Every structure is written in structure tokens, then in C-alpha cells.
Amino acid sequence: MRLPWIDSPFFPVGYLPPMKKYIFVTGGVCSSLGKGIAAASVGSLLEARGLVVRMVKIDPYINVDAGTMSPYQHGEVFVTDDGAETDLDLGNYSRFTNSTLSRQNSITTGQIYQEVIQREREGRYLGRTVQVVPHITDRINQRILGIGEADDVDVTIVEVGGTVGDIESIPFLEAARQLIHEVGHEHALSIHLTLIPQVAGDELKTKPTQHSVNKMREIGIQPDILLCRAPREIDNDMRRKIALFTNVHFDSVISAHDVVKTIYEIPLSYQRQKVDEIVVKRLGLEVGLGDISPWERYVHTFTTSERVVRIGMVGKYIELADSYKSVDEALIHAGVANGVRTEIVKIDSEQLESREDWESVLENLDGILVPGGFGTRGILGMVKTAEFARCKGIPYLGICLGMQIMVIEWGRSVLGWVDANSSEFAPDCKFPVVSLLEEQVDVKNYGGTMRLGLSDSYLLEGTRIRDIYQAPLASERHRHRYEVSNKYRPDLESSGLLITATTKDGALVESVQWPDHPWGIGVQYHPEFLSKPLKAHPLFRDFIRASASP
Ligand code: GLN
């Protein structure tokens, strides 16, 4: 979309922009306070009031996207329908809200500079000196307005990653300041998430929050609402003190204390403190009260389910809590949908390889999941795990790499091809049952050469997966480079492995199923990206159902 004033900074005199609303969510004191979840929770409350919300994430790093970043650095890479490889906060947005999410909703410093430099090379700045202000800041706001000014949108929530005071986020905060100023305070507001730490003697301290708000004010943004992260609820005296020092209204100093059991309590906690009411009043939005009963029901089922289902997740990026964020969440949603509590046991596949007693690690699990991954490390441990689950009849869900592992294990154990492998891990192996498509073999560039984003899988009749989806077609997101090799497909099938879904032309395998097994399914795509707490994904739901059955 091209707006009439898109090349000017940004509204020409006399032009009245449509009255769309903007909320900037910033963070102070330190990172990892849960800004993404806070922003998404505000979004969910506004949606509950019938507003159309869009979520935007700004990441101040120079990478163009998160695609080439290690999960160790960055947690999971969240993939959108259009195949953008984005920050995991987009996953939070997708679970808490119905905001459409695409490449446009994830902005990085790298993208902004790339776009500005490209325009400069094209001579579009007409000989002017290209500078951070106004050119970078204008470009940032053009990106934000490009989403927020769309006809159907009411409110755009922009989460500025990083912490105020970081060098990297300065241009983004300056852009936010300008945008708030331009559209006016009745159309834009600032929510600042900050920390109230607990020090010796259980005392909660407000000083870091005072400093953080001062920092915001130095930049020229007076926060309208403070979300105060604290280990326990902050009382009215403390809220009054914070209000006094920060110039924020008492009612708008919100206790964002740690929730007891699930992150999906956060919208409820905010609603109790009237965050949505403050936002709609402040922005002059005339909407009715929100219906948050679906969230209440979810939290109620989650907190009252007693039956525990233990799912072993065997992967290689296990140490870092966020590496498989969407998979974790999808398992939990599926638990709630079945009225049980999913307990996820994370197992490092590499450690499994070196342990004599590895089988004991996999005992007492109700189900096993092998998630996606890249690179050789830990593969043997995953193959052993698949063999264990197949032979012992334990429900097994293989996602992407986890499905490829099923095929490798089948080649080795059933077909007796000791050297069966993926050419990703052993380029010269004798039986590359998983390999690159021929036309891909010469690709050397690792950025953006994968099969990415939404595409259709055709689910074959009479298969379990077709029953699960109750449809002949599944549209799911992909993120992978290697495929089940067509050369070995006849052998795999004639030896009994069921190929249960393919692309439309039948050329690529999308799903496999173990024969004579209670529940052994692998999918080449990533169903986890489409699971929502209020709408558990059918594949995960059925996997948990099978794992919960005696
Ligand atoms: N490494 C495998 C591939 O590229 C699997 C990728 C994944 O699990 N996301 O095909």
C-alpha cells in the first residue's frame, strides 16, 4: 500500500490522516521482562472489545531477519504464512491475538537500512545527504503506518525490542516520538514495561523504574501506562509513589506481577486492573465491554486439570528454554483441549547418545516428540529415540527434522541400510533417504534458500492424518531444505512405511505414518505455528489424546 503522504515527513500541512490508533510498547531496566507477552495481552483485550488489532515487532539488531540466527542466540524462529523468518514474539502475537502477521509485521534495523540504502542508490533522495533523522526515522514510520493505516485496522500495537537506553533502539524511539507527536496524543499512546526488583528483606524497589521513565522522558516520550513487572503484586502505596515520580496517572500504574500458573492469565490480570478501559478511554475509542470468558475458561481448565501427560521432547537445542517455544505452547494448548496437563520433559539428544542407560531416560513417558532442527549434532540420539518409540508402541510426533528421523530410522532398522541418512548430515552416505532435490544441489547461499511459509499438503484417504484433520487438505507452514528422497520412496513404501500426505503433484512427501503402531506420525511442516490456546491444533490435540489413553 502506498499512502499519499508516504514520502513526506509524514503529513503535509492540511492533510488529515484517518483516525487510526497507535500504541507503542517499550521496555526499561533490563531485557526479558516479557514485553512481547505484555503487548500481545493488551492486543487480546482490545480484540475482546471488538477492535481490529495489528501487532508489529521492531528488533533493533542489524540482521535483516531472524532466519540465520541460532536458536541459542535468539530462541525460536517464528515463520509466518508468507515465509518470513521472524522473532519469536510474533508467535506470542499469534497465540494471543488474531492479528494477521506477515513479513511486514517484523521490522529490523537491517531491513530499514537496506531499504534506505537501496533508495539512495536509486537516486531517490535527489542528492540530499541521507541521515538517521529524518530518513531512517521516516522509513520506520512509513513501515508502521503502512500497516496501521489499512482500512480495516483500528489499533496498531508496536513493540520496540530492546531496552530504553540501548544505542540500537534510539532511532526507533525517536521515530515513535515523532509519530506520537504527528498523530496526536489522542491517537497514540505509550506503554512502558519496567521492573520493580525485590532486594534483601523482601523489599520492592521503585528506583530503577523512576530512572527508566526518566530515560523515556529524555527521549521525549512520556509513558501513559506503566506495566510494573514484580515478583508479587505491588500495593497502592507503591503505585502512588511510582505515579508521583513518573508523572503517570495512579490508575495507569499497573501491577504486572508474576502470574501463578500460565501466561494466559496475564490478559485477565490486566483486565482486572482496567488496562483495556484506560486504553480505549485514552484513545477515545467508543467500544463496549470486552468478553474475556474464553480466556477465563482456558485458565480454569489449565489450573484445574489434574491428570498429567508426560511428553518427552528430544532435540538438540534443549538447554535454552525458548528454542521450541511454539512446540511447547502447542503441547500445552492440546493438553487443555483434552482436559489434561501436559508436562514437557526436555531431553538432550546428544547426551542420550553417550549414555549406556539411555533407554531409562525414555521410560515413563506417555508420548515422544522430536522437533525441528538443523545440523548433525544429536542426530543419532534422535534416531535411537524414534526406534524406541516405534518398537515400544509409544505415541510419537515427528516435526520436520523429527519426520526425517523417522525415515532414516526406518531405512536403517527395517530396510537394513546401516548407512541410511540425510545428505544434510552425511553427504556421501550410501542411502541418502533424505536429500536435497536435484535442482537444489548447487545452492550455496544459506539465507532464504529454504522451502518457507504456507503451502498445501494433500492428505491421503484412509490415513490417520486425514481423520485428524477431517479434511483432504492441510495448509501449514514450512521451513526446511531437505526432502524425503523420491529415489528411495518405492523401497520405503514397499517395506511398509506409510506415506500419508504429499504436495499436490505428489512430488514431495509431507507426512509419514508408522504401520501397526498406536500413533506414529511425522510431518514435514510445522503445525506448531498455527496452534492457539483457544484453538488447539488438531494434530497436537490428537497426539495428546493418544498419549493420555491408557
Ligand atoms: N534440517 C532439516 C531440513 O533442512 C529440517 C529442518 C527443520 O526441522 N526445520 O530439511
Side-chain angles (χ1 to χ4, degrees), residues 372-374 400-401 404 424 479-482 526:
F374 294 83
C400 205
L401 174 64
Q404 298 175 356
E424 177 182 6
R479 181 175 186 246
H480 69 112
R481 194 171 281 120
Y482 294 81
H526 290 270

Side-chain angles (χ1 to χ4, degrees), residues 319-344:
E319 307 99 276
L320 189 88
D322 281 344
S323 318
Y324 301 111
K325 187 80 192 141
S326 294
V327 180
D328 295 348
E329 290 295 319
L331 286 169
I332 294 167
H333 307 157
V336 171
N338 281 288
V340 298
R341 175 113 49 108
T342 314
E343 185 193 329
I344 302 168

